[in-house]
Amino acid sequence: MEFYFAPLEGVTGFTYRNAYNDLFDDVDKYYAPFISPSINDRLKGKEIRDLLPENNNKGINLVPQILANRADYFIKAANQLIELGYDKEINLNAGCPSGTVVSKNKGAGFLKDTEAMDRFFDETFNWLEKKNSEGHNLSISVKTRIGMYEPDEFENILEVYNRYPISQLIVHPRTREQLYKGTPNMEAFKYALENSKNPVCYNGDINTVENYHRIIEKINDDSEMKIGSIMIGRGLIGNPNLVNEIKGGKKLTKKMLEAYHDRLYNDFEKIMKADKHLLFKMKEMWTYMSLNFDDSHKCAKLIRKAQNLYKYNLAVYEIFEKYELK
Ligand SMILES: Cc1cc2nc3c(=O)[nH]c(=O)nc-3n(C[C@H](O)[C@H](O)[C@H](O)COP(=O)(O)O)c2cc1C
């Protein structure tokens, strides 16, 4: 099984990736949070900082992701990414559920119009063929939801994907309407696995070893096809040792989690301009990390209540002193 780190905008940027890579590094690939090309010729400054080689020079196998619904924008950004050295795989985001993204028919909003999708891919894969005939060896993968409103939209969506040599179809089997609620639609995933002409990767709600096995067994029992790759996001932010545990490694300890926490805190502190930004960032980490603890609600509450870094650090100290991992 191959394991991929899911992109989480605002969370898994280069600071986070480098820390995870130094302390754990159990995944085969990291997918970067999306960049969003616009009318401008090139992505600049903050827009591209996360992908600059100087921020990603630790041998991390990183796949950049583009959020676009226009082939010309995608191609423009992809050419810039090739210049930066990303010449193996570039990913298209067809799943972001955010209102501002969907209203522009991007992310999950891209899935609304399968004819427009088809035109997008036709142009993009023509460009890719030409690029590769010039000596490149680039592939395009897609990270997708199963529809905007209803799971039955997926049949038509998959039909479009099947017309193109997508190197990997990463399926988060929820509709945009579902956001992150409810459960992943395993029927729709099974449909993808059995009907996709391209390799399929599963993504969604893998956050413990038990639930990894449950999901994999469900997929493998229900289908003739076997799954070869898994993408994990929130589960890995919460327990950075999760993939190691899935592979049979030792369980996460408080010492490991504390070291990971301290590393993130120190690294974010170096790049954050204000205390409140650091506090916000670390609180976001704890929405996932507190789930490792027996009394996860109390731990989450302690962190939530902290209104400044001093109180935050006291809360963290109390959690690691007094609370036990599940
Ligand atoms: C805060 C947040 C930011 C995200 N940012 C991105 C993103 O930039 N690109 C993307 O394809 N998916 C993004 N996602 C979706 C995740 O990559 C993943 O598909 C989703 O969380 C389901 O997987 P999980 O249950 O393993 O976390 C984001 C999710 C969250 C919660």
Side-chain angles (χ1 to χ4, degrees):
M1 184 70 76
E2 291 220 331
F3 293 92
Y4 307 147
F5 211 133
L8 269 81
E9 221 272 303
V11 183
T12 62
F14 70 92
T15 307
Y16 180 88
R17 288 194 301 269
N18 286 325
Y20 173 84
N21 182 65
D22 284 351
L23 269 59
F24 293 92
D25 188 25
D26 297 313
V27 294
D28 300 283
K29 276 194 250 183
Y30 299 72
Y31 283 74
F34 65 79
I35 52 168
S36 185
S38 62
I39 193 152
N40 301 331
D41 276 347
R42 294 177 73 77
L43 292 144
K44 282 194 270 200
K46 230 173 98 185
E47 290 174 310
I48 196 83
R49 188 162 73 121
D50 185 48
L51 296 170
L52 294 176
E54 62 263 35
N55 294 328
N56 294 285
N57 54 9
K58 291 194 171 173
I60 291 177
N61 188 7
L62 184 63
V63 178
Q65 183 186 65
I66 299 175
L67 178 77
N69 64 358
R70 287 179 49 158
D72 55 342
Y73 285 11
F74 183 94
I75 292 167
K76 189 168 58 177
N79 274 320
Q80 192 176 343
L81 292 171
I82 295 171
E83 281 170 28
L84 289 176
Y86 297 100
D87 53 3
K88 289 203 287 286
E89 177 183 347
I90 294 178
N91 183 262
L92 172 78
N93 180 321
C96 179
S98 138
T100 48
V101 167
V102 168
S103 63
K104 293 182 195 128
N105 299 332
K106 293 196 264 184
F110 182 71
L111 306 173
K112 272 194 283 194
D113 182 350
T114 46
E115 281 174 22
M117 281 176 73
D118 202 20
R119 286 194 297 277
F120 172 94
F121 285 122
D122 188 53
E123 206 177 313
T124 303
F125 277 93
N126 272 333
W127 165 80
L128 184 70
E129 209 179 307
K130 206 158 140 252
K131 202 82 193 164
N132 285 344
S133 73
E134 291 162 5
H136 287 278
N137 193 17
L138 181 70
S139 72
I140 292 175
S141 59
V142 175
K143 183 162 174 289
T144 188
R145 287 193 180 232
I146 54 173
M148 256 304 278
Y149 309 103
E150 297 294 336
D152 61 11
E153 294 162 34
F154 192 54
E155 210 177 308
N156 288 339
I157 293 169
L158 188 64
E159 223 178 281
V160 177
Y161 291 145
N162 277 345
R163 291 188 201 127
Y164 300 93
I166 291 166
S167 60
Q168 188 125 54
L169 186 67
I170 303 158
V171 182
H172 175 203
R174 282 188 168 97
T175 59
R176 188 268 162 170
E177 281 296 269
Q178 275 183 282
L179 300 171
Y180 293 95
K181 294 191 267 263
T183 49
N185 184 324
M186 298 312 287
E187 273 302 302
F189 184 76
K190 183 183 159 201
Y191 183 83
L193 194 60
E194 289 182 346
N195 294 286
S196 172
K197 297 214 167 98
N198 300 307
V200 171
C201 169
Y202 175 83
N203 168 235
D205 291 24
I206 293 186
N207 42 31
T208 61
V209 178
E210 295 71 39
N211 129 347
Y212 164 82
H213 287 297
R214 195 160 9 93
I215 288 180
I216 293 301
E217 272 160 32
K218 170 114 191 77
I219 295 170
N220 287 344
D221 285 354
D222 283 0
S223 171
E224 304 272 285
M225 309 287 292
K226 297 279 175 262
I227 180 93
S229 56
I230 290 285
M231 175 180 269
I232 308 179
R234 294 165 298 173
L236 255 176
I237 314 278
N239 175 4
N241 193 44
L242 180 60
V243 172
N244 182 33
E245 290 178 30
I246 289 172
K247 290 176 180 170
K250 283 200 189 114
K251 266 188 79 104
L252 180 76
T253 61
K254 274 207 283 187
K255 208 170 150 204
M256 285 156 85
L257 191 62
E258 197 170 2
Y260 166 72
H261 167 274
D262 292 353
R263 166 72 191 259
L264 289 174
Y265 186 97
N266 289 329
D267 288 0
F268 282 128
E269 191 176 26
K270 282 182 208 141
I271 58 164
M272 298 275 173
K273 291 206 178 75
D275 283 2
K276 64 174 191 242
H277 296 156
L278 177 60
L279 183 64
F280 181 82
K281 178 69 82 181
M282 294 313 296
K283 281 186 167 184
E284 190 170 10
M285 296 293 163
W286 276 100
T287 56
Y288 306 110
M289 289 199 312
S290 57
L291 299 174
N292 289 301
F293 289 84
D294 249 346
D295 208 336
S296 55
H297 287 298
K298 268 207 184 131
C299 294
K301 196 168 162 199
L302 277 169
I303 296 290
R304 234 184 4 255
K305 269 176 32 193
Q307 292 305 325
N308 56 45
L309 283 178
Y310 176 73
K311 289 190 177 143
Y312 169 84
N313 282 313
L314 283 180
V316 171
Y317 179 78
E318 186 177 341
I319 291 173
F320 283 117
E321 268 303 294
K322 288 197 191 150
Y323 293 85
E324 294 307 321
L325 297 185
K326 278 180 184 152

